[in-house]
Amino acid sequence: MSLQTEEDYIPYPSVHESGFPLILLPQFGGYWIEGNNHELGDSAEPDQIQPLSPTTHKLESNSTAKMYRKHFLGKEHLNYYSVDGALGNLVLSMKYEEIGDHEDLRLMLRTKLETYHDVIPISCLTEFPNVVQMAKLVCEEVNVDRFYPILYPKASRLIVNFDEHVISNNFKFGVIYQKFGQTSEEELFGNSVESPAFVEFLEFLGEKVELHDFKGFRGGLDVTHGQTGSQSVYHNYRNKEVMFHVSTKLPYTEGDTQQLQRKRHIGNDIVAIVFQEESTPFVPDMIASNFLHSYVVVQVENACTDDVLYKVSVTARNDVPFFGPPLPDPAIFRKGPEFQEFLFTKLINAEYACYKAEKFAKLKERTRSVLLETLYEELHINSQAMMGLGRDEDKMENGSGGGGGFFETFKVTRHVSISLSGEHPCLCALLLCQMAHQLLNVKLYVVLCSVCSILPCVCDIH
């Protein structure tokens, strides 16, 4: 696998030239490219296109986020909480496990930056540790005098909700149609007529669905009033719902050179597909967007025949780490279920990788810190209340009177001001709104939108 960086910059060719790669780097860099070789020789013989191995199509996942549900929930264990000057609020889960003659301590420690998980054989310890020592076993930086026991009966539900707030089974990706000779954002978003080759590719991607009263994941598209078009493309991949924002299916506005109705959706996606029929290179900075961090460019050959081939290149911003599965060499695929499996895995992994980019990582950290603080307060107040030490108004405010719960009574007014004080408030608001929707918390979602006063195109993510 070879990646191109800014040192490989090639000046943009004349639109009438051919033989150029699918993607060209921007003049001032900032992106990397995977998949530079698309040469098959004189004929596309079967042995020149490497078969895909399904074992390489591994979806990235946050395995730690599922550990509490798998190993602790519904089983005998203990939970504790404390505050560390550097690590922030701490929530520790401890479980004693015995398999035959083997004794272990399974530990999970949640800090404002990450969650630590480890299994410690008791035989490796000189004596049975106290709770502070347990915390230090999984994170040496812990510096607290004591932990407090969590006595709230509903604590496990709150903890599992916190752990799994990072898990999503819904994805939305842009699909941009680039015709021969088109080199600007206005031209890309101005396409309204779909060629037979593009229609064939959309049918390959997924099912064409009527948006009116659509019951699946809608990715921010209007399913009531038809304001985002009448149709879209949808696919359920490994129980993950994927809605595509297809540029040609979003409303076209006469006289609007920027086609804001289209850009409001695709420009707020994180990953997009660019479909090409002929050799006109795509340059990532053609589209101005704070959100789009990666593009998968697909160029067709032998369209609408029995031997359809797709050339693929991938580009992402420099601070996005490489993501698999890696493209074969040459990066050419035959149309079929193997390529569809590869493509969806690549798209989903691309989005996960983009969350590690600096812009999203800071917002993720800020959001996690807010949620952990709220979890800590909920656990503390309700544990105090169980011992008769909490005030009635505190209990009501934090959800213990009326069946609320910590997500339901999220202290939005205080925390949103913290979260939105950074360089990109709309990005942070989007992540909070996405989280509110994924948790099915309409109350939090509505309050966030009203407090942030951000554009509907940013808030309308469900």
Side-chain angles (χ1 to χ4, degrees), residues 93-158:
S93 300
M94 184 276 285
K95 176 168 169 271
Y96 170 79
E97 297 181 343
E98 184 177 8
I99 303 177
D101 296 331
H102 197 63
E103 298 176 298
D104 295 322
L105 285 179
R106 184 178 293 274
L107 304 171
M108 286 188 73
L109 178 68
R110 302 157 189 86
T111 74
K112 66 179 182 180
L113 295 179
E114 62 180 302
T115 296
Y116 299 89
H117 171 254
D118 205 352
V119 178
I120 311 295
I122 294 179
S123 60
C124 297
L125 306 173
T126 56
E127 59 181 2
F128 199 87
N130 61 38
V131 180
V132 174
Q133 292 168 337
M134 290 181 189
K136 289 179 179 290
L137 287 174
V138 290
C139 179
E140 295 180 355
E141 290 76 22
V142 170
N143 183 23
V144 297
D145 295 327
R146 64 172 296 182
F147 276 81
Y148 299 88
I150 296 172
L151 305 176
Y152 184 43
K154 296 182 179 180
S156 291
R157 178 173 62 86
L158 303 183

Side-chain angles (χ1 to χ4, degrees), residues 409-424:
T409 56
F410 196 103
K411 296 181 179 177
V412 174
T413 308
R414 177 158 65 94
H415 293 314
V416 166
S417 62
I418 299 172
S419 298
L420 301 185
S421 61
E423 181 181 357
H424 298 283

Side-chain angles (χ1 to χ4, degrees), residues 376-395:
Y376 172 92
E377 291 174 354
E378 180 86 353
L379 295 174
H380 170 69
I381 290 175
N382 282 288
S383 293
Q384 294 289 97
M386 288 295 295
M387 296 186 292
L389 302 177
R391 298 176 302 170
D392 291 339
E393 56 267 31
D394 282 342
K395 287 188 285 182

Side-chain angles (χ1 to χ4, degrees), residues 170-174 217 219 243 245 268-269 271 351 434 461:
N170 299 329
F171 295 86
K172 56 191 183 73
F173 302 115
F217 173 63
M243 177 61 79
H245 293 155
N268 283 326
D269 292 330
V271 181
E351 181 156 318
Q434 284 177 326
I461 47 81

Side-chain angles (χ1 to χ4, degrees), residues 30-31 172-174 176 185 189 245 262-273 282 284-285 287-296 315-320 323 347 350-361 363-364 367 420 423-435 452 454-461:
Y31 287 80
K172 56 191 183 73
F173 302 115
I176 303 167
E185 177 182 296
F189 285 126
H245 293 155
R262 293 175 169 183
K263 188 175 179 181
R264 66 175 289 213
H265 291 284
I266 297 176
N268 283 326
D269 292 330
I270 296 174
V271 181
I273 298 172
F282 174 76
D285 64 359
I287 299 175
S289 169
N290 283 323
F291 289 89
L292 282 167
H293 272 54
S294 180
Y295 298 91
V296 178
T315 185
R317 302 194 190 197
N318 279 342
D319 59 350
V320 176
F323 47 90
L347 289 169
E351 181 156 318
Y352 284 137
C354 289
Y355 289 144
K356 298 176 184 177
E358 181 180 3
K359 193 173 294 184
F360 293 116
L363 300 174
K364 180 181 177 182
T367 303
L420 301 185
E423 181 181 357
H424 298 283
C426 62
L427 290 176
C428 200
L430 175 65
L431 290 186
L432 287 170
C433 290
Q434 284 177 326
M435 180 171 50
C452 303
I454 52 180
L455 294 174
C457 62
V458 178
C459 269
D460 187 16
I461 47 81

